[in-house]
Amino acid sequence: DVCARIFRVGRYLRTPSTKKVAGDEFPSDDLRLYAPLLKSWENFYTRRLYHRIQDCFNRPISSRPGAVIDVLERVSEDGNKTMSVLGRPDCEERRAEYSSGRHYVTAADEGPEGRVARRCLNLGSYNYLGFADDWDETCREGVLGSLTNLPVSSSSSRLEFGTTALHDKVERLVAEFVGKESAVVLNMGFNTNATVIPALSTKGDLLVSDELNHTSIVNGARASGASIRTFRHNDAAHLEEILRTAIVMGRPRTRRPWNRILVVVEGVYSMEGEYCDLPSIVRVCKRYGAYVYLDEAHSIGAMGPTGRGCCEYTGVDPADVDILMGTFTKSFGGMGGYVAGNREVVDYLRGRCAGSSYHNSLSPVVCQQIISSFEVIMGRDGTATGARKLASLRDNSNYFRMRLTDMGLHVLGNYDSPIMPVMLYNPTKIAAFSRECLKRGLAVVVVGFPAVPVLMSRARFCISAGHDRQELDRALSEIEEIADLLKLRYARSTFG
């Protein structure tokens, strides 16, 4: 900022034309009148790191998020502070320059004169069971058929006129699939946690959360008004210590007993690729009379022999988990989320949860997509496609993880998990890794602050049943080359 003021050039330099009052002062500089938008560290990170590597995030696409994906090219005229889609090249010379590229394509359905895109192998989308790849064969007929009698949107909440026959069918299927009495579906996965948790707990309750739980759980816990404690990741012994202390000491100041204690965990942790130690967690909670809330956003449809999630995979009876939550955005190719439990709890949530009683209901078209996906996974379509998808996802995930580990990369998580975080550590390697992958036709997700600590940056690979072995081998070959270039073999050496 000092150099920018001296040379009058800089991406954050406020020029006289932007001033609102005479003199050198800006109204927002007076902290007696205006609160700062960002804390000092957040301001520093946004200016010095995020905006410089913004091209690695929020990349727009122009195709289905299948095993292969078309990524629109973007340009920036202000050093990545703002990005804009390149669009159609304005002259033949520029078009020829782009079209000579190895991965050049035009945006789908726009013909040879369409916007510039890059065809990449998709290693970042939550297309776990590959419904984006074979949608025409597995789901198209049912989904398009639902538009014959029902609209795209019900234009109402569930408590008014937002419930259709398809909503009822989805809820019955979910309850049957996960082994619960009843279920309710909501129109957004993030909001499922953010609105259900405040409906289940309030002042006088205690929420005990795994320290690596998703931000939707964190937001829901903070909005609930309940007291919050965190336990070390997947550490049942530490959870037991917290529960014992909470029961003995009671509430702060009054020492009255807690109304209820709710323990919140995830089936698969999205930034670690690790499974929950559910048997130990459930055993501790039953010993101390605490309720269990399990978030299966990444595990339902992807874990277990028949895709029924963490309970099936770990051998835990679903009856021992009080609340089962999940989303339809990963394995089912849809959107929204669900909560399953006993009928009394679910009926209570229908009226008290803001995501159900106030938000617009889930689109009937999406409901049909979820129904079609369930029928494939459960084998009710009369084929073995669902079983094949589950086996392919497991085989592809384990093969990819094994090869990454053999390269000497520091890979987090467990085998059978479709999520493979590879540690980059150094924040400067976020952009380098992402750009090198894109250059080689690989679409990957890189993760930095605030999703993870600043020095725990990582790349996160999500494998799909839609990938074939040849595609995975090509990706692994390119990643190995990048690992040498950027010194990423941290499992073998501290210096990569």
Side-chain angles (χ1 to χ4, degrees):
D1 289 347
V2 173
C3 292
R5 290 173 182 170
I6 293 175
F7 296 104
R8 310 304 298 168
V9 176
R11 69 176 77 184
Y12 300 106
L13 180 67
R14 294 188 288 187
T15 61
S17 61
T18 66
K19 294 182 180 180
K20 303 300 181 184
V21 296
D24 295 329
E25 293 294 325
F26 291 82
S28 59
D29 289 337
D30 189 349
L31 298 183
R32 296 172 302 173
L33 302 176
Y34 295 89
L37 290 177
L38 298 172
K39 296 178 182 178
S40 59
W41 162 244
E42 292 170 343
N43 187 40
F44 174 84
Y45 180 84
T46 302
R47 290 185 177 204
R48 303 304 177 199
L49 185 59
Y50 178 76
H51 279 170
R52 297 173 188 268
I53 64 173
Q54 195 171 188
D55 59 298
C56 302
F57 306 105
N58 310 316
R59 287 176 175 148
I61 66 173
S62 62
S63 68
R64 296 180 186 178
V68 175
I69 194 170
D70 295 344
V71 181
L72 290 173
E73 294 283 354
R74 295 183 297 171
V75 294
S76 176
E77 304 295 336
D78 54 7
N80 276 4
K81 186 178 178 182
T82 58
M83 306 291 299
S84 58
V85 175
L86 178 60
R88 297 170 175 82
D90 52 9
C91 63
E92 287 300 322
E93 182 180 352
R94 175 170 285 190
R95 180 172 292 281
E97 178 184 351
Y98 277 102
S99 61
S100 63
R102 176 180 163 197
H103 306 289
Y104 168 82
V105 293
T106 56
D109 302 325
E110 293 188 6
E113 302 299 319
R115 291 172 294 174
V116 174
R118 186 185 298 257
R119 181 150 293 171
C120 299
L121 184 62
N122 183 6
L123 299 174
S125 295
Y126 301 137
N127 179 37
Y128 293 153
L129 293 184
F131 281 110
D133 296 281
D134 58 10
W135 184 81
D136 290 325
E137 292 76 35
T138 56
C139 302
R140 179 187 180 92
E141 183 179 354
V143 171
L144 296 185
S146 68
L147 290 171
T148 304
N149 299 315
L150 293 170
V152 173
S153 171
S154 298
S155 302
S156 180
S157 70
R158 293 293 303 276
L159 287 186
E160 295 170 344
F161 301 104
T163 299
T164 68
L166 293 181
H167 289 88
D168 290 337
K169 186 174 182 179
V170 168
E171 291 175 345
R172 290 195 302 271
L173 272 174
V174 169
E176 178 189 352
F177 190 72
V178 302
K180 286 293 187 181
E181 284 184 354
S182 185
V184 59
V185 296
L186 293 86
N187 71 350
M188 183 177 174
F190 188 101
N191 273 3
T192 302
N193 278 330
T195 60
V196 165
I197 293 176
L200 290 173
S201 55
T202 185
K203 186 177 181 180
D205 297 335
L206 175 65
L207 287 173
V208 185
S209 176
D210 188 291
E211 65 179 350
L212 296 184
N213 274 343
H214 191 263
T215 186
S216 61
I217 296 174
V218 174
N219 286 5
R222 289 174 176 171
S224 70
S227 297
I228 303 170
R229 305 283 188 275
T230 59
F231 65 95
R232 288 189 293 270
H233 176 55
N234 249 353
D235 190 338
H238 189 221
L239 171 62
E240 182 172 13
E241 180 183 330
I242 289 176
L243 291 178
R244 187 188 301 118
T245 302
I247 292 171
V248 170
M249 299 301 293
R251 303 187 214 176
R253 295 203 309 268
T254 65
R255 303 307 175 197
R256 292 177 179 174
W258 300 99
N259 293 334
R260 67 177 67 86
I261 300 176
L262 182 65
V263 176
V264 187
V265 293
E266 297 185 38
V268 173
Y269 291 87
S270 59
M271 290 300 167
E272 284 69 36
E274 294 177 0
Y275 296 144
C276 172
D277 184 10
L278 192 59
S280 300
I281 300 293
V282 167
R283 185 167 55 251
V284 170
C285 290
K286 290 181 72 174
R287 182 182 303 162
Y288 291 93
Y291 297 99
V292 182
Y293 182 109
L294 176 62
D295 178 345
E296 295 217 80
H298 290 271
S299 53
I300 192 68
M303 285 177 66
T306 61
R308 283 173 166 79
C310 192
C311 288
E312 181 182 45
Y313 186 84
T314 58
V316 172
D317 187 345
D320 292 333
V321 180
D322 301 282
I323 302 292
L324 287 171
M325 173 270 172
T327 64
F328 303 119
T329 53
K330 282 77 177 178
S331 297
F332 303 92
M335 64 174 288
Y338 70 84
V339 173
N342 65 51
R343 194 171 304 279
E344 182 182 359
V345 171
V346 172
D347 288 344
Y348 171 82
L349 289 175
R350 291 184 197 278
R352 294 296 296 272
C353 170
S356 175
S357 57
Y358 299 124
H359 294 193
N360 204 41
S361 67
L362 194 62
S363 167
V365 179
V366 176
C367 288
Q368 182 57 55
Q369 167 66 31
I370 297 164
I371 292 168
S372 299
S373 302
F374 267 120
E375 289 175 346
V376 172
I377 295 169
M378 299 168 77
R380 294 182 178 176
D381 61 338
T383 71
T385 301
R388 177 182 55 78
K389 284 177 175 289
L390 288 164
S392 296
L393 174 62
R394 183 171 55 252
D395 292 344
N396 286 347
S397 300
N398 289 342
Y399 175 74
F400 203 78
R401 179 180 294 276
M402 178 188 69
R403 288 287 305 277
L404 290 176
T405 304
D406 290 344
M407 287 180 201
L409 303 181
H410 188 178
V411 187
L412 303 183
N414 305 118
Y415 276 91
D416 292 341
S417 168
I419 302 173
M420 273 142 273
V422 172
M423 298 305 297
L424 305 177
Y425 293 109
N426 191 330
T428 61
K429 293 186 179 182
I430 295 175
F433 185 83
S434 179
R435 291 166 184 165
E436 289 295 331
C437 284
L438 189 64
K439 186 191 303 182
R440 291 164 170 78
L442 303 179
V444 302
V445 171
V446 287
V447 185
F449 178 85
V452 295
V454 175
L455 297 181
M456 296 296 283
S457 303
R458 63 199 66 182
R460 186 180 66 172
F461 298 107
C462 292
I463 302 303
S464 166
H467 291 122
D468 59 39
R469 194 56 57 90
Q470 184 179 0
E471 290 171 335
L472 296 181
D473 284 337
R474 181 179 80 81
L476 288 162
S477 175
E478 301 287 7
I479 292 169
E480 188 164 21
E481 182 181 326
I482 297 170
D484 285 330
L485 181 66
L486 302 183
K487 309 297 182 187
L488 299 177
R489 303 181 192 270
Y490 291 114
R492 296 180 182 173
S493 168
T494 304
F495 302 103

